[in-house]
Amino acid sequence: MFLHTKIITILAEQPDSALLAPAAELLKAGELVAFPTETVYGLGANALSAEAVKKIFVAKGRPTDNPLIVHIAKLEQLTELVTKVPVAAKMAMEAFWPGPLTLIMPKSSKVPEVVTAGLATVAIRMPDHPVALALLALTNIPIAAPSANLSGKPSPTKAEHVIKDLSGRVAAIIAGGDATVGVESTVLDCTVTPPMILRPGAITYEELVSVLGEVAIDKSLLDKSGLDVLYPRSPGMKYTHYAPLAKIYLLNSSDEEILAHLKVRVQEARAEGLRVGLLASDELAFQLERRGVEFQHIERLGSRTELTKIAGHLFHGLRQCDRFQIDLAYAECFPEDGLGFAIMNRLSRAAGKKKLFTAEELTLA
Ligand code: TXA
Ligand code: MG
C-alpha cells in the first residue's frame, strides 16, 4: 500500500477553513485524514461508513477487536449515535466537553460494527482543539479516530510523529503543532453505575468525582502484577503499547536509592555494549548527571512540580529512545494521583512485563 499523502500545515489557534476544506472533502469521500487534537493526533475516517473505517485498521496495523472513539463537534450529533444518554454522561459532558474525556454509551444501529468491534456500546468524545473542531464542523459527519500512530508505537503528539508513522498510508495529514495534553483522553464507561474509568487521562479521577460523586476504576488499572493476567474492559488496554524499541525499566525507588545504585547498573549495561537512556524529571536528571552517571541519551520530561509538562513530553520522550537507538532506558516513577495516574499507566505499559525495578533489584541485579 502506498498513497501520496497530502501534508496540510495549519496554525493551531486560527485554523483557516480554506486550508481545511480539501481534508474535509477527503473524509467525506471515505479517505483517511490525520488531524491534531488537544490530547494526541487522531487518524480520522467517516464513522458512519464501514468501508472508510476499515481503512484505519489497515493503515495502523490495528487489531480489529479494538474499538474506536467517535469524535463530534456538536451535541446534536449524539442523537444518531446513541440510543440513550445516561445521566452521568450528561453531567460529564456539561462539565468537561469539549475536552479530553471519552464517554461510553449504548450504541445506535447507525454506527457500524467495525467502529465498536462488535460491542453494544460506542465511545464518543468532543475534542477541545480549534483544528479538530473546525474540521469536524466542515465535514458535518462524526469521525472515528484512534491515535494516529502505527499500532504498538507511542501515540503521536507532534506532526512529525504522524508523518514518520503514516506517510504513504493515509490520504492527508494536517500538521497543526504539538498536542498540549500529551496523553490520550480519559475513557469513562457511563453504561454502568457508578460510572467507571477504563483508561486514565487528563480529566482526572478526582475531577470526575467532584462532578459525578462516586466513580469506579477498572480493576485492571490498579493491578500491578502484569498486563497479561488482566482482562480489562477497555479492549485497547490489553495490548502492550506505547512502546519504543528500548526496554523500559521503571525506577520504583526513592531518589536516594537511585542515586546510590544506578551508576553501577548503567556502567554494567554499557560494558555489555548496550546503549542506555534516561527518561526523568529535570530534578532527577540533574542529580544523576552531577553524580557522573553517563547515559547515551537523557530525555528531560520537565519539572516534577508540573505534571502537565511531564505528560506533554512523555510520548515524545519514548519516541526519542528509538531515535537515539537506545537499548535500555530507565524511567522515573511519579505519584499516581491526579494526572500522575495517567502518566504512570502509560509508562507501565511502555515497560510492559519488564516493569518495576525496585530498590532491591536496583541493588542486587
Ligand atoms: O485522546 C484520545 O482519546 C485520542 C484522540 C485521537 O481523540 N484517541 C485515542 O483512540 O486514544 P485510541 O483508539 O487509541 O483509543 C481508544 C480507546 C481504546 O482503549 C479502546 O479500547 C477504548 O478507547 N474504547 C473504544 N470504544 C470502546 C467501547 N465501546 N467500550 C470500551 N472501550 C472502548
Ligand atoms: Mg491508541
Side-chain angles (χ1 to χ4, degrees):
M1 175 176 58
F2 191 83
L3 300 170
H4 172 71
T5 301
K6 190 178 166 70
I7 310 283
I8 301 169
T9 304
I10 197 160
L11 273 181
E13 301 74 29
Q14 284 173 307
D16 179 340
S17 332
L19 288 175
L20 285 179
E25 289 311 312
L26 286 168
L27 284 169
K28 285 199 261 183
E31 297 300 332
L32 303 184
V33 176
F35 60 96
T37 85
E38 80 280 31
T39 55
V40 300
Y41 272 75
L43 176 60
N46 178 355
L48 300 178
S49 158
E51 284 316 302
V53 170
K54 279 180 194 154
K55 293 181 185 170
I56 290 179
F57 292 90
V58 176
K60 283 192 53 135
R62 178 175 174 111
T64 50
D65 65 351
N66 190 3
L68 305 175
I69 296 172
V70 178
H71 295 68
I72 59 173
K74 289 175 281 182
L75 286 178
E76 297 88 89
Q77 290 179 289
L78 271 181
T79 329
E80 64 175 351
L81 301 172
V82 303
T83 54
K84 185 181 161 200
V85 179
V87 181
K90 204 168 284 172
M91 290 164 73
M93 276 171 215
E94 270 167 27
F96 302 111
W97 275 9
L101 177 66
T102 294
L103 302 170
I104 309 285
M105 293 181 254
K107 142 192 186 318
S108 84
S109 57
K110 266 194 102 170
V111 180
E113 298 249 303
V114 58
V115 173
T116 62
L119 297 174
T121 54
V122 59
I124 304 190
R125 168 165 119 83
M126 189 186 289
D128 185 16
H129 191 288
V131 174
L133 289 172
L135 181 69
L136 288 164
L138 276 175
T139 60
N140 201 30
I141 43 180
I143 299 293
S147 48
N149 50 286
L150 286 176
S151 204
K153 288 282 163 206
S155 292
T157 52
K158 294 174 181 286
E160 70 194 56
H161 301 158
V162 184
I163 292 169
K164 178 158 195 301
D165 279 15
L166 297 180
S167 268
R169 306 176 76 91
V170 302
I173 296 172
I174 302 174
D178 295 354
T180 49
V181 172
V183 289
E184 307 86 343
S185 61
T186 306
V187 177
L188 185 71
D189 186 353
C190 296
T191 66
V192 293
T193 309
M196 183 183 281
I197 295 177
L198 306 185
R199 178 174 75 181
I203 301 298
T204 63
Y205 169 76
E206 294 82 351
E207 286 175 293
L208 289 169
V209 167
S210 76
V211 169
L212 303 175
E214 202 184 346
V215 174
I217 298 176
D218 183 1
K219 66 176 186 322
S220 69
L221 300 174
L222 301 172
D223 192 322
K224 304 277 181 253
S225 61
L227 292 167
D228 48 346
V229 297
L230 306 173
Y231 300 95
R233 284 162 194 265
S234 179
M237 301 300 280
K238 72 173 180 264
Y239 297 104
T240 308
H241 223 99
Y242 313 114
L245 299 173
K247 275 189 187 168
I248 306 283
Y249 283 129
L250 301 186
L251 293 167
N252 190 32
S253 333
S254 66
D255 275 11
E256 291 68 37
E257 287 160 345
I258 293 169
L259 291 171
H261 300 292
L262 193 58
K263 187 172 183 172
V264 178
R265 294 281 83 81
V266 171
Q267 280 167 346
E268 283 171 358
R270 291 191 59 164
E272 284 174 37
L274 298 175
R275 289 177 57 80
V276 185
L278 175 73
L279 288 158
S281 65
D282 297 346
E283 289 85 349
L284 182 63
F286 173 76
Q287 293 189 71
L288 283 167
E289 275 188 298
R290 229 178 43 166
R291 301 263 171 140
V293 186
E294 288 182 90
F295 296 95
Q296 265 97 351
H297 177 68
I298 296 184
E299 196 66 28
R300 285 177 193 72
L301 299 173
S303 170
R304 270 178 190 168
T305 58
E306 289 179 283
L307 283 188
T308 50
K309 287 246 173 70
I310 305 245
H313 203 108
L314 186 62
F315 288 147
H316 181 63
L318 290 171
R319 280 178 180 258
Q320 289 289 85
C321 291
D322 283 352
R323 188 157 154 235
F324 289 93
Q325 297 175 305
I326 294 304
D327 301 300
L328 187 168
Y330 291 99
E332 178 175 348
C333 292
F334 299 91
E336 296 201 33
D337 47 354
L339 189 54
F341 187 19
I343 292 172
M344 286 313 300
N345 170 265
R346 304 310 191 271
L347 265 179
S348 312
R349 299 182 59 219
K353 278 177 275 179
K354 296 140 229 163
K355 262 177 90 149
L356 297 176
F357 204 53
T358 59
E360 202 176 302
E361 287 164 292
L362 195 59
T363 326
L364 300 176

